[in-house]
Amino acid sequence: MLRIGLTGGMGAGKSTVSRLLVERGAVLIDSDALAREVVEPGTEGLIALVEAFGPDILDADGRLDRPALAARAFVSDEARATLNGITHPLVGKRAAELLDAAPADAIVVQDVPLLVENGMGVLLQLVVVVMAEVDVRVHRLEQFRGIAPADALVRINAQATDEQRRAAADVLLDNNGDPAALEPQVAALWERLVSFEEHLRTRTRPPRGPVRLVESDPGWAEAAQRIIGRLRTVAGAAARRIDHIGSTAVPGLPAKDVLDIQLTVADLDAADAVREPLAAIGFPRVPDITTDRPKPGTDPAEWRKRVHANADPGRAVNLHVRVDGWPGQRFALDFRDWLCDDADARADYAAVKRAGEAKAAGLTGSAATEAYLAVKEPWFDEVYPRVPRRQR
């Protein structure tokens, strides 16, 4: 199934987004709702909270008085850690039960307020963050939840910063305005999720469009790191290293909006062993690509590799699985670093890429890629001896 993380600061509007996704067919696992469920009267969660914070956190009916708990739990990092240490494991256990019960082809939206703080993005296939300015959120918390502005700010400041959320987000939804403005954003997101789920389930990659170069995007580096985190989680000990390579790893270089990631493994058996784990998180194998083009004077057998591609239509990724120490693995890193260090090399490569783009004009899919590479590969052969070899 496709597992999506939904988060945002207090008052940002996660509940509105989750409602819109559920209306379109998503299965919702709401951590806030589970947090209430696991501290109902008679539960082990409520008993533990009373032991930690005292009986004054209960109302006259013996139920949890949330403002009273908040007054004690948000006064210090230690108190907040105590609260989280009690509730988070219980919420996680209940969420796992609901996840196990969801259909295999479900789009599961996990609404997790502290997703960023707890580093959960590596466990999910996409992270959606709802954003709103602090003053907007404070106003909503006062208007709809009756929380005093000063208390709202204390709670907001105890959470991740907006910069941290942006760094963790694969998708940002702007909810500074009227809730109706979210509708087209969620509709576009849902279209992406439906396609993502289909390609995930069928172990296929979405079709690629024409070859088109765009200006360098600073967001490529953060996107690559999010993906590397997910890859590292599933590859485990098989991954000797995982690197952002290719043109999108070179600041200032025009490139196709396709991230290239290299997963370095001990041998091709190790590459084959991670095939299914990678496919399960949205990186199916591309079976018709099994080698790089061997460079003159090298052993062609040592240019073999495995290639996976992202099932997410909203973020194209080529994942190259190469053997540690083989020339293709070393060249990918050395070539990237050479371009980063040498302005003349960057300029030469940019010109070659533009020529390849022109040759591929009007083509799509594999035909476009082949035309593009037909221009680039001879240049790679030419510069291969000149690229400095570095110690790794």
Side-chain angles (χ1 to χ4, degrees):
M1 65 184 68
L2 181 61
R3 295 176 59 196
I4 305 303
L6 174 65
T7 194
M10 291 183 66
K14 298 185 304 299
S15 60
T16 302
V17 173
S18 61
R19 174 179 57 78
L20 293 171
L21 290 171
V22 169
E23 288 174 357
R24 287 165 168 80
V27 173
L28 176 65
I29 298 178
D30 185 341
S31 293
D32 277 343
L34 298 186
R36 291 189 293 272
E37 178 183 326
V38 300
V39 293
E40 285 293 310
T43 61
E44 61 176 303
L46 186 58
I47 293 170
L49 288 179
V50 170
E51 290 177 351
F53 296 101
D56 290 344
I57 65 170
L58 300 179
D59 64 18
D61 296 324
R63 305 184 70 86
L64 181 64
D65 184 335
R66 291 187 174 277
L69 174 63
R72 290 163 173 78
F74 288 94
V75 296
S76 69
D77 290 342
E78 181 181 359
R80 187 166 54 253
T82 298
L83 171 64
N84 293 341
I86 293 170
T87 59
H88 287 182
L90 296 172
V91 170
K93 178 182 177 182
R94 182 63 179 135
E97 293 171 353
L98 294 174
L99 194 63
D100 288 342
D105 61 350
I107 297 174
V108 177
V109 175
Q110 296 185 242
D111 184 338
V112 185
L114 298 180
L115 183 151
V116 175
E117 291 86 339
N118 294 330
M120 289 180 58
V122 297
L123 305 175
L124 301 159
Q125 287 137 326
L126 204 70
V127 171
V128 178
V129 176
V130 188
M131 297 293 292
E133 297 297 332
V134 171
D135 59 340
V136 174
R137 292 158 55 194
V138 169
H139 175 71
R140 289 173 181 164
L141 291 171
E142 181 180 21
Q143 181 179 12
F144 299 115
R145 299 195 202 175
I147 302 175
D151 290 340
L153 281 172
V154 169
R155 299 191 198 187
I156 286 171
N157 291 333
Q159 295 183 326
T161 65
D162 286 349
E163 290 73 22
Q164 289 170 324
R165 290 194 183 94
R166 289 190 183 95
D170 299 292
V171 179
L172 283 171
L173 299 179
D174 183 350
N175 192 29
N176 280 294
D178 188 277
L182 273 176
E183 287 275 1
Q185 298 179 68
V186 174
L189 171 62
W190 183 251
E191 183 178 355
R192 173 177 176 176
L193 297 182
V194 169
S195 178
F196 193 170
E197 188 283 322
E198 177 186 357
H199 289 288
L200 171 67
R201 174 167 34 88
T202 58
R203 301 296 197 262
T204 56
R205 65 173 175 175
R208 298 279 175 90
V211 171
R212 182 176 296 114
L213 300 181
V214 298
E215 293 306 311
S216 180
D217 182 350
W220 284 334
E222 285 188 342
Q225 290 309 307
R226 290 193 296 272
I227 291 166
I228 287 171
R230 292 170 183 139
L231 295 172
R232 185 173 289 113
T233 298
V234 298
R240 294 198 167 180
R241 61 184 296 166
I242 308 178
D243 298 276
H244 183 196
I245 59 168
S247 298
T248 58
V250 180
L253 183 66
K256 295 183 295 178
D257 189 16
V258 180
L259 301 180
D260 285 285
I261 307 292
Q262 178 169 271
L263 168 59
T264 297
V265 294
D267 50 42
L268 291 179
D269 287 340
D272 291 334
V274 298
R275 174 174 183 163
E276 180 52 30
L278 292 174
I281 66 163
F283 287 86
R285 174 74 60 83
V286 181
D288 55 336
I289 304 178
T290 59
T291 185
D292 291 307
R293 171 167 158 160
K295 300 298 179 283
T298 63
D299 181 356
E302 292 190 343
W303 290 87
R304 290 176 296 161
K305 65 176 181 178
R306 304 291 185 257
V307 175
H308 295 247
N310 199 358
D312 176 10
R315 163 43 61 208
V317 178
N318 293 327
L319 174 61
H320 309 263
V321 187
R322 296 188 174 105
V323 174
D324 197 6
W326 281 11
Q329 184 264 349
R330 296 197 307 271
F331 182 60
L333 298 172
D334 291 338
F335 182 68
R336 176 202 63 190
D337 294 346
W338 179 54
L339 292 178
C340 287
D341 293 344
D342 191 318
D344 290 337
R346 283 197 304 277
D348 288 348
Y349 188 39
V352 170
K353 289 163 70 69
R354 292 295 184 193
E357 178 186 37
K359 186 175 181 64
L363 303 175
T364 59
S366 60
T369 300
E370 290 170 7
Y372 184 62
L373 291 177
V375 174
K376 290 182 22 173
E377 290 290 358
W379 187 78
F380 287 147
D381 292 345
E382 175 189 338
V383 302
Y384 179 74
R386 296 195 281 119
V387 174
R389 304 298 192 261
R390 309 198 181 204
Q391 296 294 323
R392 302 289 174 185

